[in-house]
Amino acid sequence: MKRHRTGLILTLLISLGTVAAGTPAATAAPTPAPSAVVAALGRSAHPLRTVEPGGPTDDLLPLDRMIGGAQVVGLGEATHSSHDFLALKDRVFRHLVEKKGFRTFALEGAWSTGLRLNDYVLYGKGDPRRIFREEFQRDYLWWNNTDYLKLVEWMRAYNVRHPGDPVRFMGDDIGWAGRELYDSVAVYVADHYPELSSRLAELYRGLRPTVPAGTYIEQYLDKPYAERQEMAERTGRALELLKEQSPGKDREAYDRAVQNAAVVDQVARQYDFDFADPAQVPAAMRYRDETMAANVVWWQRHTGTKVLLSAHDAHIGYVPSDPANYPKMQGAFLRGTLGSRYRSVGLTFDRGSFNATGPDDAIHRWTLGPAGAGSNEQTLDQVRFADYLVDLRSVGSPARAWLAEGRPTRSIGTDYPEDLRTIALARSYDVLIHLHSVTAARLRDR
């Protein structure tokens, strides 16, 4: 992560990086003896056989009961680049596809990236390695890893075997809008409202990317604020222009075109905040999480599929760990819209390695020892299972009270070192998966 102006903004927008130095680690209120808490957690915990996909998944059957009839399940990660978290997401998704009828894997990646990968998993269109290389740049580079490549290749193989009931891939984020998104809107308008084509072309003038994703994002953010405001004003007018038209006979095509135009506008609106004004930063962060949630809801309702949502722990949770900068998170928006049809599953770990950008702007593999005294992870790791899952809503006393208190917890974004966050597990997640140790993911093309 480059720590000049553009890099700082990208850290805020696309990741949960270090945004405020010196965040204090809160001192927890007096709690029951750790041994009693550990024993209570152990009575509710269900051991995991492995994080690796493939093979029997009977150990994941308790998760089925925990998520119940949810239509969207958020599955988090305590780091953006640990193999064990990514492999577990692959394994859980395969299980939910087979046992619970889930059909969409949603990633904290750009909407247009998701459409390209969806074309691959549905129709075999394109080369996923090339798509990863072209789309997962700059702060999305963490997704260009061998674990997610393995996942999308499994999804494609599944669809070859089940052409009448396919799985899908979506991206919910608004870090950038690829040229395919502009093209899809333009083609729809040309086919259905040709008299509007020239007007749409004028509104989108200069916005369609002609450079790689990472370069485009940096160039966009380096534009003067007034220019970014003018660009957002034009994308808004283009969206309204489309909304004013009659859907015609093909309502599905119309809704899809409006959503694509909405995402183009979302990207411009995200960069329509004045990041030189500290007061606008929290509003920008709230906008991003609210919009990501809205995109997931749109996808779920229009495809009718159950969705496994992959994102950082903070995004899928209910309570912000850094409310000054992130006032409301995606999980809270999803719960507000979907109610009990949304469930959040947080992930923690005691020790191990991950990839993240260091103070020298280079990517490093970082290794951490056992979690420190007073942290959530230190107690969680004393449970009799190395890796396990637990329903935080049904844990008995005295662990119930312990889970409701905020404690220092690892929540690592794209940058490291960064401060521990104060997190009350039971207020943030419905379910928790704890792993004893993790290893760094293997990044492709590096």
Side-chain angles (χ1 to χ4, degrees):
M1 172 59 63
K2 297 180 180 179
R3 302 193 189 303
H4 51 61
R5 172 180 170 273
T6 299
L8 175 60
I9 294 170
L10 287 170
T11 301
L12 287 165
L13 291 176
I14 303 177
S15 69
L16 289 166
T18 305
V19 298
T23 302
T27 301
T31 59
S35 58
V37 172
V38 170
L41 287 169
R43 289 191 292 270
S44 297
H46 300 269
L48 284 180
R49 180 179 63 85
T50 181
V51 300
E52 301 299 335
T57 60
D58 290 351
D59 55 319
L60 290 176
L61 292 177
L63 180 63
D64 298 350
R65 298 190 294 272
M66 294 173 190
I67 65 177
Q71 300 294 301
V72 178
V73 172
L75 184 55
E77 57 202 23
T79 80
H80 272 320
S81 192
S82 290
H83 158 76
D84 302 76
F85 295 146
L86 307 180
L88 181 61
K89 293 183 182 199
D90 186 349
R91 184 173 189 243
V92 169
F93 181 64
R94 297 189 196 192
H95 171 81
L96 294 179
V97 167
E98 299 287 352
K99 303 298 184 181
K100 294 283 286 183
F102 278 62
R103 290 296 181 268
T104 292
F105 184 88
L107 180 65
E108 186 187 339
W111 176 270
S112 54
T113 303
L115 294 182
R116 290 189 70 186
L117 287 171
N118 196 46
D119 278 345
Y120 169 72
V121 301
L122 285 177
Y123 314 116
K125 181 180 178 181
D127 176 358
R129 292 167 178 79
R130 178 177 178 179
I131 296 172
F132 275 38
R133 185 174 300 115
E134 292 178 349
E135 295 288 339
F136 295 142
Q137 299 184 14
R138 205 49 165 90
D139 289 72
Y140 291 123
L141 67 85
W142 314 103
W143 307 150
N144 186 9
N145 60 66
T146 57
D147 294 297
Y148 278 156
L149 179 61
K150 186 176 183 179
L151 169 62
V152 299
E153 289 178 336
W154 176 85
M155 294 173 71
R156 176 59 192 150
Y158 179 92
N159 287 343
V160 170
R161 298 192 306 270
H162 305 86
D165 187 20
V167 293
R168 296 170 169 85
F169 192 105
M170 78 157 291
D172 66 342
D173 205 359
I174 54 174
W176 95 301
R179 58 183 179 273
E180 297 85 3
L181 217 53
Y182 294 90
D183 293 346
S184 68
V185 177
V187 168
Y188 178 82
V189 168
D191 289 344
H192 294 81
Y193 323 107
E195 69 280 6
L196 301 178
S197 287
S198 59
R199 176 60 175 153
L200 182 72
E202 176 59 25
L203 292 172
Y204 281 168
R205 172 181 44 82
L207 298 178
R208 184 182 184 276
T210 58
V211 294
T215 304
Y216 181 84
I217 294 171
E218 290 192 13
Q219 290 179 350
Y220 202 129
L221 283 167
D222 280 336
K223 295 179 184 296
Y225 177 50
E227 186 175 345
R228 285 186 277 124
Q229 285 184 302
E230 188 271 338
M231 294 163 74
E233 195 272 336
R234 285 194 280 126
T235 60
R237 293 209 308 269
L239 175 59
E240 290 306 314
L241 183 67
L242 197 52
K243 285 182 174 180
E244 291 168 359
Q245 309 311 309
S246 170
K249 296 181 179 180
D250 192 346
R251 181 71 196 219
E252 181 180 350
Y254 173 81
D255 288 345
R256 187 166 56 249
V258 169
Q259 172 64 10
N260 287 340
V263 174
V264 168
D265 187 52
Q266 289 167 4
V267 174
R269 299 289 168 188
Q270 178 69 98
Y271 297 138
D272 186 28
F273 288 89
D274 184 1
F275 299 104
D277 178 4
Q280 291 198 38
V281 171
M285 301 307 105
R286 178 189 172 98
Y287 177 78
R288 182 197 174 208
D289 274 76
E290 182 177 19
T291 303
M292 290 194 296
N295 287 339
V296 171
V297 171
W298 185 95
W299 182 278
Q300 193 281 317
R301 290 176 174 171
H302 282 77
T303 65
T305 60
K306 294 181 181 181
V307 179
L308 181 68
L309 169 62
S310 170
H312 194 277
D313 275 345
H315 286 303
I316 59 95
Y318 300 129
V319 180
S321 59
D322 181 14
N325 289 291
Y326 299 89
K328 188 172 180 179
M329 308 308 295
Q330 184 179 14
F333 285 111
L334 286 169
R335 184 171 63 175
T337 301
L338 299 175
S340 63
R341 291 177 296 139
Y342 175 72
R343 289 287 181 260
S344 64
V345 182
L347 270 68
T348 56
F349 73 107
D350 180 66
R351 64 194 70 187
S353 59
F354 55 90
N355 301 304
T357 303
D360 59 356
D361 297 337
I363 295 174
H364 298 277
R365 173 177 173 144
W366 303 85
T367 300
L368 301 180
S375 66
N376 276 318
E377 296 93 340
Q378 184 198 41
T379 298
L380 292 170
D381 207 57
Q382 295 178 50
V383 172
R384 56 198 175 105
F385 307 118
D387 302 332
Y388 61 90
L389 58 114
V390 59
D391 190 333
L392 300 178
R393 300 162 298 177
S394 60
V395 173
S397 297
R400 181 184 298 271
W402 182 87
L403 289 165
E405 298 173 358
R407 288 179 184 77
T409 309
R410 289 169 175 159
S411 183
I412 299 166
T414 61
D415 287 6
Y416 194 79
E418 65 181 24
D419 300 310
L420 295 173
R421 300 297 184 189
T422 299
I423 296 175
L425 296 172
R427 296 205 302 267
S428 298
Y429 317 112
D430 298 306
V431 177
L432 185 74
I433 297 178
H434 178 74
L435 303 181
H436 172 63
S437 64
V438 299
T439 57
R442 180 182 173 190
L443 298 175
R444 299 180 61 253
D445 305 324
R446 303 194 71 82

